[in-house]
Amino acid sequence: MKNSTDIWTAPATLTGRKLKLEPASLDHLHSLAENLLHPQSWHGIHWGIQKKDDLQKMVLERAIKARNEQTGNCFAMIDLATGKAVGLSNLMNFNRRHNFLEIGGTWVSHYFQKSFVNTEAKLLMLSYVFEKLGCLRVEFRVDSLNFNSQRAVLRLGAKYEGELRQTALLPDGRKRDYRIYSILDSEWANCKLTLTQHLDKYV
């Protein structure tokens, strides 16, 4: 295990109006399984995450390992009204030398899609990485077939940059292409305003 004081992976709790983000752990497993394991889930269809054991091994244990090794920081999305974890999202693919990273591995409950959850989660995470970590660029890599996520990223104010072809072989046998989007530090103020205005519609 590396030094736990690394700012990029240090435990952080980010609290908004209706949502709180906290370091994902096995304590969240039950409510995540309750909310995420849905027949229409993208991760269930393409990644084969269909049982609580799958969620523990493929998501939470990997997230905890990444935090311990200082290669990633996974947040659980907590609905403040119920106290339950309704999603996950990660800081990942760190480039500390040039101050940029990726926000990815986002998984929001089917029951909370097109709600305040993803909007407020991204507002909290982007505020954290630009204003606390001092990032110059935040990247999003979205599966070329995940059209809902592509629309969600554009709605944040991110700019489309291009496509990476056949970057992974998925458990279902498909060769995965990624669409690349980004937000720069110089664009963050406008994006923050846009996200805040979107959030105002929900709360």
Side-chain angles (χ1 to χ4, degrees), residues 40-89:
Q40 296 181 31
S41 164
W42 173 270
H43 296 75
I45 295 169
H46 294 285
W47 285 95
I49 303 176
Q50 299 178 339
K51 304 189 300 291
K52 184 184 284 189
D53 286 349
D54 300 331
L55 188 63
Q56 178 174 333
K57 292 176 182 177
M58 297 183 69
V59 181
L60 288 178
E61 289 180 2
R62 186 180 300 173
I64 293 166
K65 180 180 179 183
R67 190 182 303 119
N68 288 340
E69 295 179 352
Q70 297 181 2
T71 59
N73 202 353
C74 182
F75 291 90
M77 304 175 185
I78 311 299
D79 175 25
L80 289 174
T82 63
K84 292 188 175 183
V86 299
L88 295 164
S89 195

Side-chain angles (χ1 to χ4, degrees), residues 54-189:
D54 300 331
L55 188 63
Q56 178 174 333
K57 292 176 182 177
M58 297 183 69
V59 181
L60 288 178
E61 289 180 2
R62 186 180 300 173
I64 293 166
K65 180 180 179 183
R67 190 182 303 119
N68 288 340
E69 295 179 352
Q70 297 181 2
T71 59
N73 202 353
C74 182
F75 291 90
M77 304 175 185
I78 311 299
D79 175 25
L80 289 174
T82 63
K84 292 188 175 183
V86 299
L88 295 164
S89 195
N90 298 264
L91 306 182
M92 53 199 289
N93 291 333
F94 298 153
N95 187 318
R96 292 177 173 87
R97 180 179 178 185
H98 298 295
N99 289 337
F100 68 85
L101 53 75
E102 177 186 346
I103 292 178
T106 300
W107 189 357
V108 177
S109 167
H110 177 80
Y111 308 107
F112 284 87
Q113 290 179 8
K114 298 182 180 179
S115 75
F116 67 92
V117 169
N118 190 53
T119 300
E120 185 153 36
K122 290 302 187 294
L123 178 59
L124 291 169
M125 293 180 78
L126 286 165
S127 296
Y128 180 68
V129 299
F130 281 119
E131 299 168 16
K132 175 69 174 179
L133 301 185
C135 287
L136 302 180
R137 164 191 169 89
V138 174
E139 184 175 291
F140 304 87
R141 298 187 178 193
V142 183
D143 191 296
S144 62
L145 298 184
N146 193 342
F147 303 114
N148 287 337
S149 291
Q150 291 172 33
R151 286 191 289 269
V153 168
L154 287 171
R155 191 166 172 266
L156 301 177
K159 302 293 191 298
Y160 173 66
E161 295 186 337
E163 191 161 309
L164 295 176
R165 299 183 298 162
Q166 295 191 17
T167 57
L169 184 63
L170 298 187
D172 64 1
R174 183 168 63 87
K175 298 173 183 176
R176 185 181 207 178
D177 298 336
Y178 275 123
R179 294 174 69 87
I180 309 299
Y181 304 82
S182 70
I183 298 173
L184 306 182
D185 60 336
S186 58
E187 300 165 341
W188 168 232

